[in-house]
Amino acid sequence: DQQVKQNSPSLSVQEGRISILNCDYTNSMFDYFLWYKKYPAEGPTFLISISSIKDKNEDGRFTVFLNKSAKHLSLHIVPSQPGDSAVYFCAASARLTGGGNKLTFGTGTQLKVEL
Amino acid sequence: NAGVTQTPKFRILKIGQSMTLQCAQDMNHNYMYWYRQDPGMGLKLIYYSVGAGITDKGEVPNGYNVSRSTTEDFPLRLELAAPSQTSVYFCASRGTENSPLHFGNGTRLTVT
């Protein structure tokens, strides 16, 4: 049961254009969402996050939008740069009954920014 | 500041062999995690720890064991390696339960 889904395994965008990466989730208990970026042979690195009480969070070229009614979030990168080429993972956080929280990851989207 | 350090980077095991994947962090983080990533899949949580002396199972703990005797170290033990354990293993840590995870660079394990 994939609770966090990234339906596009890959995305190709021209340099300078907008990249839009999508993520859908099924568990309404998720209360915090994060995007991680991963280069080959490295671990994922945190990019940006959003609380479920907000619908938008912006950090420089990166903006995350959350649509709770649709259980959908997206990451916008504007303008896209070749260095943005990486795998992007969406992750969602839910509280555990025993305390703490658990992150559930999507399967990732490979972004390629072409010159 | 090294962050999260994983060793080894690569390892090939024969079926039935055992090994320990090492993970160390120098950020004084209480929370530590082990994930595995299979091709085309997201990261799956194997085990986690909320502090020294405390560990708990994640989604896919079978075939693995962990210990947390110090804040810095969180080794993952495979006792009887199986081909299904071929994967990339990531260790991660965070200072509080709501802060982002810091990942190591991973250990690529092949079991043949």
Side-chain angles (χ1 to χ4, degrees), chain A residues 89-106:
Chain A
F89 290 99
C90 170
S93 177
R95 293 235 168 246
L96 296 167
T97 51
N101 56 50
K102 175 193 167 187
L103 272 185
T104 302
F105 284 84

Side-chain angles (χ1 to χ4, degrees), chain A residues 48-115:
Chain A
I48 192 169
S49 62
I50 187 167
S51 165
S52 61
I53 62 172
K54 297 189 173 184
D55 56 16
K56 178 182 174 181
N57 188 26
E58 190 173 350
D59 183 2
R61 297 186 296 115
F62 303 92
T63 303
V64 56
F65 295 93
L66 175 62
N67 182 332
K68 280 186 67 177
S69 60
K71 292 190 174 68
H72 177 84
L73 67 156
S74 60
L75 173 68
H76 292 211
I77 307 174
V78 181
S80 301
Q81 299 173 354
D84 296 329
S85 297
V87 177
Y88 289 79
F89 290 99
C90 170
S93 177
R95 293 235 168 246
L96 296 167
T97 51
N101 56 50
K102 175 193 167 187
L103 272 185
T104 302
F105 284 84
T107 53
T109 296
Q110 172 76 60
L111 173 66
K112 183 177 181 183
V113 180
E114 298 172 320
L115 298 172

Side-chain angles (χ1 to χ4, degrees), chain B residues 16-94:
Chain B
Q17 286 185 319
S18 62
M19 78 164 292
T20 300
L21 283 69
Q22 301 291 346
C23 175
Q25 52 90 10
D26 60 1
M27 298 172 282
N28 202 32
H29 285 171
N30 283 324
Y31 298 82
M32 295 189 75
Y33 305 81
W34 274 105
Y35 289 89
R36 59 178 286 174
Q37 186 193 8
D38 300 323
M41 305 293 287
L43 284 80
K44 299 288 187 186
L45 182 63
I46 305 171
Y47 269 96
Y48 68 98
S49 169
V50 300
I54 306 169
T55 63
D56 211 344
K57 296 178 180 179
E59 302 169 78
V60 290
N62 292 342
Y64 307 94
N65 274 301
V66 293
S67 59
R68 186 92 184 274
S69 55
T70 67
T71 299
E72 295 76 20
D73 300 297
F74 190 40
L76 178 71
R77 179 85 179 158
L78 284 71
E79 290 293 350
L80 290 169
S84 61
Q85 293 178 305
T86 294
S87 190
V88 181
Y89 292 83
F90 291 102
C91 179
S93 73
R94 55 182 170 183

